[in-house]
Amino acid sequence: MSVIMTVKVAGDPKGVEQYASANTEKMQAVLEAAKRHGLIAHRFYGSDDGSSLLVLDEWPDRQSFESFFQEQGSEIRPMFEAAGVSAQIEPMFWRELTTHDAYGWGA
């Protein structure tokens, strides 16, 4: 069963978008590395009030993400710095619960 990984930090979503626009090759290189490590899905989100960032990923397992992050952390950090993030990046991992009401995402 896959896991969801989230990172939520205070920061400016526009900074991430500007970084991504100015560094498309770096963004693609990190994405390709993530896919080599098993990434299933990935998105950046910004809060409506422009004060927070959320990274939402799906990975085969926690170890796949951790291996990727260990390899690519130095490439990922500038994305967050561009948004004014100075806090430590602390991923959270989530497992699907059996609730008998799953819908979407291939349920």
Side-chain angles (χ1 to χ4, degrees), residues 38-106:
L39 178 67
I40 298 167
H42 164 77
R43 297 286 190 281
F44 273 100
Y45 291 94
S47 62
D48 283 344
D49 68 1
S51 68
S52 298
L53 301 166
L54 175 69
V55 180
L56 177 64
D57 287 359
E58 184 176 5
W59 290 87
D61 51 51
R62 181 179 184 148
Q63 296 76 22
S64 296
F65 169 80
E66 289 175 344
S67 176
F68 156 75
F69 195 72
Q70 182 176 5
E71 175 187 294
Q72 294 291 313
S74 64
E75 298 297 322
I76 294 168
R77 189 76 205 159
M79 296 174 206
F80 285 94
E81 289 171 351
V85 174
S86 58
Q88 181 73 16
I89 298 169
E90 296 185 28
M92 289 187 66
F93 295 89
W94 306 83
R95 66 177 177 82
E96 184 177 357
L97 302 179
T98 303
T99 58
H100 309 290
D101 64 345
Y103 180 81
W105 294 299

Side-chain angles (χ1 to χ4, degrees), residues 3-47:
V3 298
I4 298 296
M5 184 287 306
T6 62
V7 171
K8 183 180 179 222
V9 293
D12 180 6
K14 289 180 183 178
V16 171
E17 289 177 316
Q18 290 168 351
Y19 179 90
S21 291
N23 295 279
T24 55
E25 289 181 16
K26 286 184 181 182
M27 297 296 286
Q28 286 301 307
V30 172
L31 176 60
E32 291 304 317
K35 289 170 21 181
R36 286 193 304 274
H37 285 272
L39 178 67
I40 298 167
H42 164 77
R43 297 286 190 281
F44 273 100
Y45 291 94
S47 62

